[in-house]
Amino acid sequence: MDRYAPLRRRTIALVGLMGVGKSSVGRRLANALELPFCDADAEVEAAAGRSITDIFAELGEPAFREGERRVIARLLEQPPHVLATGGGAFINPQTRALIKSKAISIWLKADLEVLARRVTRKDSRPLLAGRDPLEVLRAQAEVRYPAYGEADLVVETGDAAHHVTVEQVIQALRDHLPAGAP
Ligand code: S3P
């Protein structure tokens, strides 16, 4: 019997701050569950024909947020998949409501110090450009944690390797299944 079949019935949406591993964990999770993987940031870039950095610089953050909202609404119409969202997506009330109605949402959470260390390895995030990552993340946590708290599940990742987080997520999903699900 296919023990992951019950986990493939709905899209699994990963939410949380920058650097927590939504894309890396999401890709591995999709692999493990044999589901397609979609990365909302990459889909926004494809739809706009430019990088997120260029979207912010040339069109501004509101245009990015609008594109993000539209792209996620479109992805949620697709058959079940693992969806890595950008850090700000679940903060938009419309997007959050849509994700909550069409997917199982999982908040990946880690200490801000861990995230700050990780995000310095990549310079493709316009919200961090020229700023102290820990300060940006602290301010985001303050504003965003209440919204992330509305996710169906929370997985505390600590500083664990991504494959460990994938196991935690699978366990959390199994625990979340209604009792008696095949
Ligand atoms: C953002 C997070 C980024 C990307 C954009 C804005 C945010 O995605 O969507 O730079 O507002 O937190 P990641 O969380 O995948 O880095």
Side-chain angles (χ1 to χ4, degrees):
M1 124 124 196
D2 176 358
R3 65 198 181 115
Y4 289 148
L7 306 188
R8 280 194 214 103
R9 292 191 188 130
R10 297 189 85 191
T11 287
I12 299 165
L14 303 179
V15 308
L17 288 177
M18 295 183 272
V20 77
K22 300 178 297 289
S23 301
S24 323
V25 169
R27 199 166 280 117
R28 286 177 167 80
L29 178 67
N31 232 348
L33 299 181
E34 296 179 40
L35 277 173
F37 171 71
C38 292
D39 186 296
D41 282 345
E43 296 282 341
V44 173
E45 289 182 322
R50 54 191 115 188
S51 69
I52 292 194
T53 303
D54 287 348
I55 300 173
F56 270 70
E58 292 163 20
L59 308 173
E61 182 170 351
F64 170 76
R65 296 296 172 200
E66 176 53 20
E68 179 176 53
R69 187 191 62 72
R70 268 189 278 119
V71 159
I72 291 179
R74 168 171 57 78
L75 294 174
L76 288 169
E77 295 301 324
Q78 307 284 320
H81 57 278
V82 176
L83 173 62
T85 66
F90 204 62
I91 309 311
N92 177 304
Q94 263 176 292
T95 301
R96 187 163 68 250
L98 210 55
I99 291 177
K100 295 223 15 117
S101 71
K102 304 213 166 173
I104 298 182
S105 46
I106 304 180
W107 176 12
L108 297 184
K109 193 175 178 193
D111 287 347
L112 300 181
E113 287 72 16
V114 170
L115 301 183
R117 212 178 324 124
R118 289 192 189 155
V119 293
T120 48
R121 290 185 213 139
K122 218 168 127 186
D123 66 355
S124 57
R125 294 181 171 108
L127 295 178
L128 296 174
R131 292 150 107 177
D132 172 18
L134 189 54
E135 264 172 38
V136 174
L137 289 162
R138 270 203 195 113
Q140 288 190 337
E142 180 98 13
V143 173
R144 295 179 173 185
Y145 275 16
Y148 292 152
E150 291 183 36
D152 297 312
L153 301 170
V154 185
V155 171
E156 298 266 1
T157 71
D159 200 8
H162 293 320
H163 72 272
V164 176
T165 303
V166 169
E167 289 308 316
Q168 282 179 282
V169 168
I170 290 175
Q171 192 53 50
L173 285 165
R174 293 169 78 103
D175 293 345
H176 178 71
L177 286 176

